[in-house]
Amino acid sequence: MKNLTLKPKLLASLMMMSLPLSVIADDTLKAINAEGNSHIESAQLVSKTGIPKADRLVSYKHKGIALENNQGKTLSLLKGHFGSIDHRQLKQGLLLATVDLDRQQAMLTVLNSASEKWTATTYLPKPAFKIEGVCLYQDEAQNGFLFLVGEQGQGEQWLVADATSPIALPQLIRHLSTPPDSEYCQVDDAQSRLYINEEKVGIWAYDAHPEAELSRFPVAMAHPFGQLTKSAVGMAIVPGGLLVLDAKANVLHTYIDNKESWQHQSEFALHNVLEPEGISARVDGEQLEIAIKHDAGIAFYTLPWTYTSLTSPPPIPLVKPAIQTDAVPSLGDAADDPAIWVNKANPEQSLVLGTDKQGGLVVYDLKGKTQQFLPVGRLNNVDVRHGFHFNGKQIDLAVASNRDHNSLHVFAIDPASRLVTEMGEVSTTAQDIYGLCMYKNKQGDIYTIVNDKDGRFFQYQMQDKQGKIAGELVREFKVATQPEGCVADDKHDRLFIGEENRAVWTLDARADQSTVMTQVMPVGEHLKDDIEGISLYQNDKQDYLVISSQGNDSYVVLDALPPFTYRGVFRIGFNTAAGIDGVSETDGLDVSSVNFGQPWQQGMLVVQDGRNRMPLENQNFKYVPWSEIADQLGLSKLSK
């Protein structure tokens, strides 16, 4: 342990002088001085590239939050009675989050960089728990999120800002189950990692991304599992690591991040510091400037630091959903697969059919509003084809895989009324029916291809048997492991299938042709298992294959013709202006190049959203204009 004797000084202003140390090594923590004030609630150093002359933000009891220079002079004061603080840089200034202790509500405001004046404040609704800590997070699109932490194991995440300013009405994203005895949190924006303390246990890390699942891993633990001895409290994120305060032991610990395998590096005794709580740090060349808030004020230090932040993978381009549907009726993992039915007479009156795999089929319009719900059972995947001759007239056909009966559940879509009605079920030889797609050949015959979880595929020709729907099994084939998503290219008589943990394959879709398969793309650099929904975007100039890469919440685009050239990958992020959350854990998707009117002139992509965050409701589907995808991936240039 590096021993340090710190002599607190009650100074009216900050004197930037190092105290003499008997031993100075390369990793020695150096005391600069102490600033005495027992009325300080929280303190944070601010970036030197932000507001000129500003050094730190300090929250004082019954006085307010002061922006101070390095001599302790107040540059700007936000009057009030505030507790925990955190900040981020926006285009217009400094975004500040705090707790109004009189109201017990989280509050947001912006300090304008030019005027150094505070803007109007925004309050979040009062939660059902006492807020102990607040911490801000900016995602890859610079949207601002606020975490609220309570000591009874409760927390919340809110969307509070876009890249320029706070939003008028903050939106609750998710409730969090956090450790008990938690008061402190910090977020590493670059790694999308949230750190929360559990005082007697240690520091935990969570995925901060609003679409992430709630899981954690340990960073700094107490004895006998780690080096902390008494009480883990505040932490500060530094390049390549973390600083952690062991409050009752009066020790500062440093940890290095070795790709989530955290290594304890050093510890420093903090003599004459009274129960340190909060810590803030910033980089100054090859050293850290550190401010530690303790019971008697703020202590300032420097520490040599040559570590660098872990490299992050290149950011995946983001597109925004324009519409989200009403939620499906069933709770839990329910929404699964969409299919776009094109109204050829009036494309703007087209429909989206979505499966509720706990209960039935939901029919939406292009505004995402529910038009029908058919409670027919556990439907997994659905597809549609136009022009099926049945009982003397032509109808449009929708077929879904029914997991209650291992059957093909068949529906008619009336082109005139847009009503979807049941036609009946076709039994199959599947033991655990799963994925499904449809194919129409050049002669006008319509087929349904369905798979079993054991890897078998069954191809049925849909038939009218004296006014009753029927299906004749015409072909079988198999992959080695579990498949689900598939799509047929009617134009080229080609079938694409997804083997979830291995690859996308293609083969001839015609019933009388070989089932020899060619690999289109394996799981690897761009495609992360599970491989889920697959669909085709086709127009007169270009055909694209769109694949749900569920393992990293993204979508891969390939040419749909050999050699199946990779064209890019994208994610679906938040549309803060429309109040629509991003998309994660997508199962099924569908895409069309039809002009459905504004904003769908180049077509649309419909995806299932595994976590419907805003508002917190059952799962639903998101609609994305194809033009956004084409622009992000440069596909518009290829089509010219």
Side-chain angles (χ1 to χ4, degrees), residues 242-392:
L242 195 71
L243 309 182
V244 179
L245 288 174
D246 191 343
K248 293 182 180 178
N250 275 19
V251 172
L252 172 65
H253 293 262
T254 64
Y255 292 84
I256 302 302
D257 185 359
N258 185 20
K259 296 183 179 178
E260 297 188 6
S261 175
W262 287 83
Q263 298 175 351
H264 183 260
Q265 185 213 28
S266 302
E267 57 188 75
F268 303 92
L270 303 171
H271 296 292
N272 298 320
V273 172
L274 304 177
E275 292 201 15
E277 297 174 345
I279 181 170
S280 177
R282 69 182 170 212
V283 177
D284 182 17
E286 291 190 349
Q287 70 176 9
L288 298 176
E289 296 181 347
I290 300 170
I292 296 178
K293 185 267 176 187
H294 61 110
D295 280 359
I298 307 174
F300 297 88
Y301 307 91
T302 62
L303 177 66
W305 196 262
T306 57
Y307 298 95
T308 57
S309 299
L310 293 179
T311 56
S312 300
I316 294 176
L318 287 172
V319 299
K320 295 179 181 179
I323 294 288
Q324 66 177 338
T325 69
D326 295 334
V328 299
S330 298
L331 296 169
D333 185 17
D336 195 278
D337 187 49
I340 302 169
W341 172 76
V342 178
N343 186 329
K344 293 185 175 181
N346 185 359
E348 295 185 19
Q349 294 297 309
S350 298
L351 300 171
V352 173
L353 282 60
T355 60
D356 179 333
K357 60 188 176 188
Q358 309 295 340
L361 186 71
V362 191
V363 181
Y364 300 102
D365 62 18
L366 294 190
K367 295 182 180 180
K369 300 302 179 183
T370 302
Q371 304 301 298
Q372 291 178 260
F373 176 63
L374 293 84
V376 298
R378 295 188 303 139
L379 303 185
N380 201 70
N381 283 32
V382 64
D383 204 357
V384 298
R385 283 298 184 274
H386 294 270
F388 181 68
H389 296 282
F390 183 78
N391 206 17

Side-chain angles (χ1 to χ4, degrees), residues 27 69 100 104 145 152 200 222 296 355 398 510 519 527 544 569 607:
D27 60 348
N69 66 11
D100 186 321
Q104 242 309 291
F145 298 87
Q152 301 302 317
K200 297 177 181 179
T355 60
R510 291 171 289 186
Q519 188 179 96
L527 189 58
Y544 296 114
V569 61
V607 300

Side-chain angles (χ1 to χ4, degrees), residues 372-542:
Q372 291 178 260
F373 176 63
L374 293 84
V376 298
R378 295 188 303 139
L379 303 185
N380 201 70
N381 283 32
V382 64
D383 204 357
V384 298
R385 283 298 184 274
H386 294 270
F388 181 68
H389 296 282
F390 183 78
N391 206 17
K393 65 176 184 178
Q394 183 169 288
I395 61 171
D396 294 340
L397 209 61
V399 183
S401 50
N402 188 316
R403 298 187 67 183
D404 286 333
H405 307 136
N406 285 315
S407 64
L408 307 179
H409 211 120
V410 186
F411 303 86
I413 307 172
D414 188 311
S417 67
R418 300 164 64 228
L419 282 176
V420 180
T421 56
E422 279 190 83
M423 295 179 66
E425 296 180 60
V426 175
S427 61
T428 73
T429 56
Q431 299 300 305
D432 194 357
I433 202 168
Y434 205 39
L436 176 149
C437 57
M438 297 179 72
Y439 161 60
K440 185 175 183 179
N441 67 15
K442 301 297 190 298
Q443 293 73 41
D445 300 320
I446 293 178
Y447 298 84
T448 299
I449 299 103
V450 67
N451 59 55
D452 192 296
K453 280 192 171 184
D454 64 9
R456 291 179 297 160
F457 282 78
F458 309 94
Q459 186 164 345
Y460 289 86
Q461 183 176 351
M462 308 307 294
Q463 298 175 337
D464 176 1
K465 292 288 188 181
Q466 299 177 341
K468 292 185 178 181
I469 193 68
E472 179 185 357
L473 180 62
V474 294
R475 188 167 71 155
E476 291 186 43
F477 55 94
K478 191 178 189 300
V479 292
T481 61
Q482 180 174 304
E484 183 176 6
C486 64
V487 65
D489 179 353
D490 298 352
K491 185 166 61 173
H492 300 101
D493 297 309
R494 179 178 283 114
L495 177 66
F496 296 93
I497 61 176
E499 190 176 359
E500 288 192 354
N501 297 321
R502 296 185 65 181
V504 175
W505 304 90
T506 187
L507 67 156
D508 201 302
R510 291 171 289 186
D512 58 351
Q513 296 299 307
S514 169
T515 59
V516 173
M517 300 179 198
T518 300
Q519 188 179 96
V520 175
M521 174 177 270
V523 167
E525 179 184 1
H526 303 297
L527 189 58
K528 309 297 182 182
D529 58 342
D530 290 344
I531 297 168
E532 292 288 341
I534 306 176
S535 190
L536 285 162
Y537 179 92
Q538 295 181 305
N539 58 27
D540 294 337
K541 298 178 180 178
Q542 197 72 43

